[in-house]
Coordinates of all heavy atoms in Angstrom, one line a residue:
P214 N -112.1 38.1 187.8 CA -112.4 37.9 189.2 C -113.1 39.1 189.9 O -112.8 40.2 189.5 CB -111.1 37.6 189.8 CG -110.2 37.2 188.7 CD -110.7 37.9 187.5
A215 N -113.9 38.8 190.8 CA -114.6 39.9 191.6 C -113.7 40.1 192.8 O -113.1 39.2 193.3 CB -116.0 39.5 191.9
C216 N -113.7 41.3 193.3 CA -113.0 41.6 194.5 C -113.9 41.9 195.7 O -114.9 42.7 195.5 CB -112.0 42.8 194.3 SG -111.1 43.3 195.8
L217 N -113.7 41.3 196.8 CA -114.4 41.6 198.0 C -113.4 42.1 199.1 O -112.4 41.6 199.3 CB -115.1 40.3 198.6 CG -115.9 39.5 197.6 CD1 -116.3 38.2 198.2 CD2 -117.2 40.3 197.3
L218 N -113.8 43.2 199.8 CA -112.9 43.7 200.8 C -113.6 43.5 202.2 O -114.8 43.9 202.3 CB -112.6 45.2 200.6 CG -111.8 45.5 199.4 CD1 -111.7 47.0 199.2 CD2 -110.4 44.9 199.5
R219 N -113.0 42.9 203.1 CA -113.5 42.7 204.4 C -113.4 43.9 205.3 O -112.3 44.5 205.4 CB -112.8 41.5 205.1 CG -113.4 41.2 206.5 CD -112.6 40.1 207.1 NE -113.0 38.8 206.5 CZ -112.4 37.7 206.8 NH1 -111.5 37.6 207.7 NH2 -112.8 36.6 206.2
E220 N -114.5 44.4 205.8 CA -114.5 45.6 206.6 C -113.5 45.4 207.8 O -113.5 44.4 208.5 CB -115.9 45.9 207.2 CG -116.9 46.3 206.1 CD -116.8 47.7 205.7 OE1 -116.4 48.5 206.5 OE2 -117.1 48.0 204.5
G221 N -112.8 46.5 208.1 CA -111.9 46.5 209.3 C -110.6 45.8 209.2 O -109.9 45.6 210.1
T222 N -110.3 45.2 208.0 CA -109.0 44.6 207.8 C -108.4 45.1 206.5 O -109.0 45.9 205.8 CB -109.2 43.0 207.6 OG1 -109.8 42.8 206.3 CG2 -110.0 42.4 208.7
R223 N -107.2 44.7 206.3 CA -106.5 45.1 205.1 C -106.5 44.0 204.1 O -105.7 44.1 203.1 CB -105.1 45.6 205.4 CG -105.0 46.8 206.3 CD -103.6 47.2 206.5 NE -103.5 48.4 207.3 CZ -102.4 48.8 207.9 NH1 -101.3 48.2 207.6 NH2 -102.4 49.9 208.6
E224 N -107.2 43.0 204.3 CA -107.2 41.8 203.5 C -108.2 41.9 202.4 O -109.3 42.4 202.6 CB -107.5 40.5 204.3 CG -107.2 39.3 203.6 CD -107.1 38.1 204.5 OE1 -107.8 38.1 205.6 OE2 -106.4 37.1 204.2
A225 N -107.8 41.6 201.1 CA -108.7 41.6 200.0 C -108.9 40.2 199.6 O -108.1 39.3 199.7 CB -108.0 42.4 198.8
F226 N -110.1 39.9 199.0 CA -110.5 38.6 198.6 C -110.9 38.7 197.1 O -111.7 39.5 196.7 CB -111.7 38.1 199.4 CG -111.4 37.9 200.8 CD1 -111.5 38.9 201.7 CD2 -111.0 36.6 201.3 CE1 -111.2 38.7 203.0 CE2 -110.7 36.4 202.6 CZ -110.8 37.5 203.5
Y227 N -110.3 37.9 196.3 CA -110.6 37.8 194.8 C -111.3 36.5 194.6 O -110.8 35.4 195.0 CB -109.4 38.0 194.0 CG -108.8 39.3 194.2 CD1 -107.6 39.5 195.0 CD2 -109.3 40.5 193.6 CE1 -107.0 40.7 195.2 CE2 -108.7 41.7 193.8 CZ -107.6 41.8 194.6 OH -107.0 43.1 194.7
E228 N -112.4 36.5 193.9 CA -113.2 35.3 193.7 C -113.5 35.1 192.2 O -113.8 36.1 191.5 CB -114.5 35.4 194.5 CG -115.2 34.1 194.6 CD -116.3 34.1 195.7 OE1 -116.6 35.2 196.3 OE2 -117.0 33.0 195.9
A229 N -113.3 33.9 191.7 CA -113.5 33.6 190.3 C -114.9 32.8 190.2 O -115.1 32.0 191.1 CB -112.4 32.7 189.8
F230 N -115.6 33.2 189.2 CA -116.9 32.6 189.0 C -117.1 31.9 187.7 O -116.5 32.4 186.7 CB -118.0 33.6 189.2 CG -118.1 34.2 190.5 CD1 -117.4 35.3 190.9 CD2 -119.0 33.6 191.5 CE1 -117.5 35.9 192.1 CE2 -119.1 34.2 192.8 CZ -118.3 35.3 193.1
H231 N -117.8 30.9 187.6 CA -118.2 30.2 186.3 C -119.7 30.0 186.4 O -120.1 29.2 187.2 CB -117.4 28.9 186.1 CG -117.8 28.2 184.9 ND1 -117.3 28.6 183.6 CD2 -118.5 27.1 184.7 CE1 -117.8 27.8 182.7 NE2 -118.5 26.9 183.3
K232 N -120.4 30.6 185.5 CA -121.9 30.5 185.4 C -122.5 30.7 186.8 O -123.4 30.0 187.2 CB -122.3 29.1 184.9 CG -121.8 28.8 183.5 CD -122.3 27.5 183.0 CE -121.8 27.3 181.5 NZ -122.2 26.0 181.0
G233 N -122.0 31.8 187.4 CA -122.6 32.2 188.7 C -122.2 31.4 189.9 O -122.6 31.7 191.0
K234 N -121.3 30.4 189.7 CA -120.8 29.6 190.8 C -119.4 29.9 191.1 O -118.5 30.1 190.2 CB -120.9 28.1 190.4 CG -120.3 27.1 191.4 CD -120.4 25.7 190.8 CE -119.8 24.7 191.8 NZ -119.8 23.4 191.3
S235 N -119.1 30.1 192.4 CA -117.7 30.4 192.9 C -116.8 29.1 192.6 O -117.1 28.0 193.1 CB -117.7 30.7 194.3 OG -116.3 30.9 194.8
V236 N -115.7 29.3 191.8 CA -114.9 28.2 191.5 C -113.4 28.4 192.0 O -112.6 27.5 192.0 CB -114.9 27.9 190.0 CG1 -116.3 27.4 189.6 CG2 -114.4 29.1 189.2
G237 N -113.1 29.6 192.5 CA -111.8 29.9 193.0 C -111.8 31.1 193.9 O -112.7 32.0 193.8
L238 N -110.9 31.1 194.9 CA -110.8 32.2 195.8 C -109.4 32.4 196.2 O -108.6 31.5 196.4 CB -111.6 31.8 197.1 CG -111.6 32.8 198.2 CD1 -112.3 34.1 197.8 CD2 -112.2 32.2 199.5
L239 N -109.0 33.7 196.3 CA -107.7 34.1 196.8 C -107.8 35.2 197.9 O -108.6 36.1 197.7 CB -106.9 34.6 195.6 CG -105.5 35.1 195.9 CD1 -104.5 34.7 194.8 CD2 -105.4 36.6 196.1
A240 N -107.2 35.0 199.0 CA -107.1 36.0 200.0 C -105.7 36.6 200.1 O -104.8 35.8 200.0 CB -107.5 35.4 201.4
F241 N -105.6 37.9 200.2 CA -104.3 38.5 200.1 C -104.2 39.9 200.8 O -105.3 40.6 200.9 CB -104.0 38.5 198.6 CG -103.5 39.8 197.9 CD1 -102.2 40.0 197.8 CD2 -104.4 40.6 197.4 CE1 -101.8 41.1 197.1 CE2 -104.0 41.7 196.7 CZ -102.7 42.0 196.5
L242 N -103.1 40.2 201.2 CA -102.8 41.5 201.9 C -102.1 42.4 200.9 O -100.9 42.3 200.7 CB -101.9 41.3 203.1 CG -102.5 40.4 204.2 CD1 -101.5 40.0 205.2 CD2 -103.6 41.2 204.9
P243 N -102.8 43.3 200.3 CA -102.2 44.2 199.2 C -101.0 45.0 199.7 O -100.0 45.2 198.9 CB -103.3 45.1 198.8 CG -104.6 44.4 199.2 CD -104.2 43.6 200.4
H244 N -101.0 45.5 200.9 CA -100.0 46.3 201.4 C -98.7 45.6 201.6 O -97.6 46.2 201.6 CB -100.4 47.0 202.7 CG -100.5 46.1 203.9 ND1 -101.6 45.3 204.0 CD2 -99.7 45.8 204.9 CE1 -101.5 44.6 205.1 NE2 -100.3 44.9 205.7
A245 N -98.7 44.3 201.8 CA -97.6 43.4 202.0 C -97.3 42.5 200.9 O -96.2 41.9 200.9 CB -97.7 42.7 203.3
G246 N -98.2 42.3 199.9 CA -98.0 41.4 198.8 C -98.0 39.9 199.3 O -97.4 39.1 198.7
I247 N -98.8 39.6 200.3 CA -98.8 38.3 200.9 C -100.2 37.6 200.5 O -101.2 38.1 200.8 CB -98.7 38.3 202.4 CG1 -97.3 38.8 202.7 CG2 -98.9 36.9 203.0 CD1 -97.1 39.0 204.2
V248 N -100.1 36.5 199.8 CA -101.2 35.6 199.5 C -101.4 34.6 200.7 O -100.5 33.8 200.9 CB -101.1 34.9 198.2 CG1 -102.2 34.0 197.9 CG2 -100.9 35.9 197.0
S249 N -102.5 34.7 201.4 CA -102.7 33.8 202.5 C -103.5 32.6 202.2 O -103.5 31.7 203.0 CB -103.3 34.6 203.7 OG -104.5 35.2 203.4
Y250 N -104.2 32.7 201.1 CA -105.1 31.6 200.8 C -105.4 31.6 199.3 O -105.6 32.6 198.7 CB -106.5 31.7 201.5 CG -107.4 30.6 201.3 CD1 -107.3 29.4 202.0 CD2 -108.5 30.7 200.4 CE1 -108.2 28.4 201.8 CE2 -109.4 29.7 200.1 CZ -109.2 28.5 200.9 OH -110.1 27.5 200.7
L251 N -105.3 30.4 198.6 CA -105.6 30.3 197.2 C -106.2 28.9 197.0 O -105.6 27.9 197.4 CB -104.4 30.4 196.4 CG -104.5 30.1 194.9 CD1 -105.5 31.1 194.2 CD2 -103.2 30.2 194.2
A252 N -107.4 28.8 196.5 CA -108.1 27.5 196.2 C -108.9 27.6 194.9 O -109.5 28.6 194.6 CB -109.0 27.2 197.4
V253 N -108.8 26.5 194.2 CA -109.6 26.4 193.0 C -110.3 25.0 193.1 O -109.6 24.0 193.4 CB -108.8 26.5 191.7 CG1 -109.6 26.2 190.5 CG2 -108.1 27.8 191.6
L254 N -111.6 24.9 192.8 CA -112.3 23.7 192.8 C -111.6 22.6 191.9 O -111.1 23.0 190.8 CB -113.7 23.8 192.4 CG -114.7 24.5 193.3 CD1 -116.1 24.7 192.7 CD2 -114.8 23.8 194.6
P255 N -111.5 21.4 192.3 CA -110.8 20.4 191.5 C -111.2 20.3 190.0 O -110.4 20.2 189.2 CB -111.1 19.1 192.2 CG -111.4 19.5 193.6 CD -112.0 20.8 193.6
G256 N -112.5 20.4 189.7 CA -112.9 20.3 188.3 C -112.6 21.5 187.5 O -112.7 21.5 186.3
F257 N -112.0 22.6 188.1 CA -111.7 23.8 187.4 C -110.2 24.1 187.4 O -109.7 25.1 187.0 CB -112.5 25.0 188.0 CG -113.9 24.9 187.7 CD1 -114.8 24.2 188.5 CD2 -114.4 25.5 186.5 CE1 -116.1 24.1 188.2 CE2 -115.8 25.4 186.2 CZ -116.6 24.7 187.1
R258 N -109.4 23.2 187.9 CA -107.9 23.3 188.0 C -107.3 23.1 186.6 O -107.9 22.5 185.7 CB -107.3 22.4 189.0 CG -107.8 22.7 190.4 CD -107.2 21.8 191.4 NE -107.8 22.1 192.7 CZ -107.7 21.3 193.8 NH1 -107.2 20.1 193.7 NH2 -108.2 21.7 194.9
Q259 N -106.1 23.6 186.4 CA -105.4 23.5 185.2 C -106.1 24.3 184.0 O -106.0 23.9 182.9 CB -105.1 22.1 184.8 CG -104.3 21.3 185.8 CD -102.9 21.9 186.0 OE1 -102.2 22.3 185.0 NE2 -102.5 22.1 187.2
K260 N -106.9 25.3 184.4 CA -107.7 26.1 183.4 C -107.3 27.5 183.4 O -107.9 28.4 182.8 CB -109.2 25.9 183.5 CG -109.7 24.5 183.4 CD -111.1 24.4 183.5 CE -111.6 23.0 183.5 NZ -111.3 22.1 182.4
G261 N -106.3 27.9 184.2 CA -105.8 29.2 184.3 C -106.5 30.1 185.4 O -106.2 31.3 185.5
I262 N -107.4 29.5 186.2 CA -108.1 30.3 187.2 C -107.1 30.7 188.3 O -107.1 31.9 188.7 CB -109.3 29.5 187.7 CG1 -110.3 29.3 186.6 CG2 -109.9 30.2 188.9 CD1 -111.4 28.3 186.9
G263 N -106.4 29.8 188.8 CA -105.4 30.2 189.9 C -104.4 31.2 189.4 O -104.1 32.2 190.1
H264 N -103.9 31.0 188.2 CA -103.0 32.0 187.5 C -103.6 33.4 187.4 O -103.0 34.4 187.8 CB -102.6 31.4 186.1 CG -101.7 32.3 185.4 ND1 -100.3 32.3 185.6 CD2 -101.9 33.3 184.5 CE1 -99.7 33.2 184.8 NE2 -100.7 33.8 184.1
T265 N -104.9 33.4 187.0 CA -105.6 34.7 186.9 C -105.8 35.3 188.2 O -105.6 36.6 188.3 CB -107.0 34.5 186.1 OG1 -106.7 33.9 184.8 CG2 -107.7 35.8 186.0
L266 N -106.1 34.6 189.2 CA -106.3 35.1 190.6 C -105.0 35.7 191.1 O -104.9 36.8 191.6 CB -106.8 34.1 191.5 CG -108.3 33.7 191.3 CD1 -108.6 32.4 192.1 CD2 -109.2 34.8 191.8
L267 N -103.9 35.0 190.9 CA -102.6 35.5 191.3 C -102.2 36.7 190.5 O -101.6 37.7 191.1 CB -101.5 34.4 191.1 CG -101.5 33.3 192.2 CD1 -100.6 32.2 191.7 CD2 -101.1 33.8 193.5
R268 N -102.4 36.8 189.2 CA -102.1 37.9 188.4 C -102.9 39.1 188.8 O -102.5 40.3 188.8 CB -102.3 37.7 186.9 CG -101.3 36.8 186.3 CD -100.0 37.5 186.1 NE -99.1 36.6 185.6 CZ -97.8 36.6 185.7 NH1 -97.3 37.6 186.5 NH2 -97.0 35.8 185.2
T269 N -104.2 38.9 189.2 CA -105.0 40.0 189.7 C -104.5 40.6 191.0 O -104.4 41.8 191.2 CB -106.5 39.5 189.9 OG1 -107.0 39.0 188.6 CG2 -107.4 40.6 190.4
A270 N -104.1 39.7 191.9 CA -103.5 40.1 193.2 C -102.2 40.9 192.9 O -102.0 41.9 193.5 CB -103.3 38.9 194.1
Q271 N -101.4 40.4 192.0 CA -100.2 41.1 191.7 C -100.4 42.5 191.1 O -99.7 43.4 191.5 CB -99.4 40.3 190.7 CG -98.0 40.8 190.4 CD -97.2 39.8 189.6 OE1 -97.7 39.2 188.6 NE2 -95.9 39.6 189.9
A272 N -101.5 42.6 190.3 CA -101.8 43.9 189.8 C -102.2 45.0 190.8 O -101.9 46.2 190.7 CB -102.9 43.8 188.7
F273 N -102.8 44.5 191.9 CA -103.3 45.4 193.0 C -102.3 45.4 194.2 O -102.6 46.1 195.2 CB -104.7 45.0 193.4 CG -105.7 45.3 192.4 CD1 -106.2 44.4 191.5 CD2 -106.2 46.6 192.3 CE1 -107.1 44.7 190.6 CE2 -107.1 46.9 191.4 CZ -107.6 46.0 190.5
S274 N -101.2 44.7 194.1 CA -100.3 44.6 195.2 C -99.5 45.9 195.3 O -99.2 46.5 194.3 CB -99.3 43.5 195.0 OG -98.4 43.4 196.1
Q275 N -99.1 46.3 196.5 CA -98.3 47.5 196.7 C -96.8 47.2 196.7 O -96.0 48.1 196.8 CB -98.8 48.2 198.0 CG -100.2 48.7 197.9 CD -100.7 49.2 199.2 OE1 -99.9 49.5 200.2 NE2 -102.0 49.4 199.3
V276 N -96.5 46.0 196.6 CA -95.1 45.5 196.4 C -95.0 44.7 195.2 O -95.9 44.2 194.7 CB -94.6 44.7 197.7 CG1 -94.7 45.6 198.9 CG2 -95.4 43.5 197.8
K277 N -93.8 44.7 194.6 CA -93.6 44.0 193.3 C -93.7 42.5 193.3 O -94.3 41.9 192.4 CB -92.2 44.4 192.8 CG -92.1 45.7 192.1 CD -90.7 45.9 191.4 CE -90.8 47.1 190.6 NZ -89.6 47.2 189.7
K278 N -93.2 41.9 194.4 CA -93.2 40.4 194.4 C -94.1 39.9 195.4 O -94.2 40.3 196.6 CB -91.7 40.0 194.8 CG -91.5 38.6 194.6 CD -90.0 38.3 194.8 CE -89.7 36.8 194.5 NZ -88.3 36.5 194.7
L279 N -95.0 38.9 195.0 CA -95.9 38.3 195.9 C -95.3 37.2 196.7 O -94.4 36.5 196.2 CB -97.1 37.7 195.2 CG -98.0 38.7 194.4 CD1 -99.1 37.9 193.8 CD2 -98.6 39.7 195.4
S280 N -95.7 37.0 197.9 CA -95.3 35.9 198.8 C -96.5 35.0 199.0 O -97.6 35.6 199.3 CB -94.7 36.3 200.1 OG -93.6 37.1 199.9
V281 N -96.4 33.7 198.9 CA -97.5 32.8 199.2 C -97.2 32.0 200.5 O -96.2 31.4 200.6 CB -97.7 31.8 198.0 CG1 -98.9 30.9 198.3 CG2 -97.9 32.6 196.7
L282 N -98.2 32.1 201.4 CA -98.0 31.4 202.7 C -98.7 30.1 202.7 O -99.7 29.9 202.0 CB -98.7 32.3 203.8 CG -98.1 33.7 204.0 CD1 -98.9 34.4 205.1 CD2 -96.6 33.6 204.4
N283 N -98.3 29.2 203.5 CA -98.9 27.9 203.7 C -99.2 27.1 202.5 O -100.3 26.5 202.3 CB -100.3 28.1 204.5 CG -100.0 28.8 205.8 OD1 -99.0 28.5 206.5 ND2 -100.9 29.7 206.2
L284 N -98.3 27.0 201.6 CA -98.4 26.1 200.4 C -98.1 24.7 200.8 O -97.0 24.4 201.3 CB -97.5 26.5 199.3 CG -97.6 25.8 198.0 CD1 -99.0 26.0 197.4 CD2 -96.6 26.3 197.0
D285 N -99.0 23.8 200.6 CA -98.9 22.4 201.0 C -97.9 21.7 200.0 O -98.1 21.7 198.8 CB -100.2 21.7 200.9 CG -100.2 20.2 201.4 OD1 -99.1 19.6 201.4 OD2 -101.3 19.7 201.7
P286 N -96.7 21.2 200.5 CA -95.7 20.7 199.7 C -96.2 19.4 198.9 O -95.6 19.1 197.9 CB -94.6 20.3 200.6 CG -95.2 20.2 202.0 CD -96.4 21.1 201.9
Q287 N -97.3 18.8 199.3 CA -97.8 17.6 198.6 C -98.6 18.0 197.4 O -99.0 17.2 196.6 CB -98.5 16.7 199.6 CG -97.6 16.1 200.6 CD -98.3 15.1 201.4 OE1 -99.3 14.5 201.0 NE2 -97.7 14.9 202.6
L288 N -98.9 19.3 197.3 CA -99.7 19.8 196.1 C -98.8 20.0 194.9 O -98.5 21.1 194.6 CB -100.5 21.1 196.5 CG -101.6 20.9 197.6 CD1 -102.2 22.3 197.9 CD2 -102.7 20.0 197.1
T289 N -98.4 19.0 194.3 CA -97.5 19.1 193.2 C -98.0 19.8 192.0 O -97.3 20.4 191.2 CB -97.0 17.7 192.7 OG1 -98.2 16.9 192.4 CG2 -96.2 17.0 193.9
D290 N -99.3 19.9 191.9 CA -99.9 20.7 190.8 C -99.6 22.2 191.0 O -99.7 23.0 190.0 CB -101.4 20.5 190.7 CG -101.8 19.2 190.2 OD1 -100.9 18.5 189.6 OD2 -103.0 18.7 190.4
A291 N -99.3 22.6 192.2 CA -99.0 24.1 192.4 C -97.8 24.5 191.7 O -97.6 25.7 191.4 CB -98.9 24.3 193.9
V292 N -96.9 23.6 191.3 CA -95.8 23.9 190.5 C -96.2 24.6 189.2 O -95.5 25.4 188.6 CB -94.9 22.7 190.3 CG1 -93.7 23.0 189.3 CG2 -94.4 22.2 191.6
G293 N -97.4 24.3 188.7 CA -97.9 24.8 187.4 C -98.1 26.3 187.5 O -98.2 26.9 186.4
F294 N -98.2 26.9 188.6 CA -98.3 28.3 188.8 C -97.0 29.0 188.5 O -96.8 30.1 188.3 CB -98.8 28.7 190.1 CG -100.3 28.3 190.4 CD1 -100.6 27.5 191.4 CD2 -101.3 28.7 189.5 CE1 -101.9 27.1 191.7 CE2 -102.6 28.4 189.8 CZ -102.9 27.5 190.8

């Protein structure tokens, strides 16, 4: 994944690409270990992209355990993470 840092904030964005196309995105606060956004295009789910984005965030987090905000309880596929 590529990392983008937004100027003036402490939020980092990790983006996954396939053949030059963005297929996944994670927004996260490294100093707090908080994942505020995680999305993977439907055709690319269950391929380890979300897992890789979370592992990348965890590697750069300043705290050991990540917290995920705003997880939709109806997204039963999220249990696979």
Side-chain angles (χ1 to χ4, degrees):
C216 177
L217 308 168
L218 295 175
R219 180 182 287 177
E220 293 281 331
T222 71
R223 294 182 180 171
E224 195 165 25
F226 297 85
Y227 297 101
E228 193 165 3
F230 295 91
H231 177 73
K232 296 183 180 179
K234 177 183 177 182
S235 177
V236 297
L238 178 69
L239 179 141
F241 129 95
L242 298 164
H244 68 282
I247 296 174
V248 175
S249 58
Y250 183 82
L251 174 62
V253 176
L254 288 177
F257 290 88
R258 293 179 185 164
Q259 301 297 316
K260 298 182 186 306
I262 293 170
H264 180 83
T265 299
L266 288 167
L267 285 170
R268 288 288 180 207
T269 301
Q271 188 173 38
F273 289 97
S274 179
Q275 295 172 15
V276 297
K277 281 189 168 190
K278 192 173 183 179
L279 294 180
S280 297
V281 179
L282 300 179
N283 300 323
L284 183 63
D285 185 341
Q287 294 188 23
L288 296 176
T289 56
D290 288 344
V292 174
F294 291 121

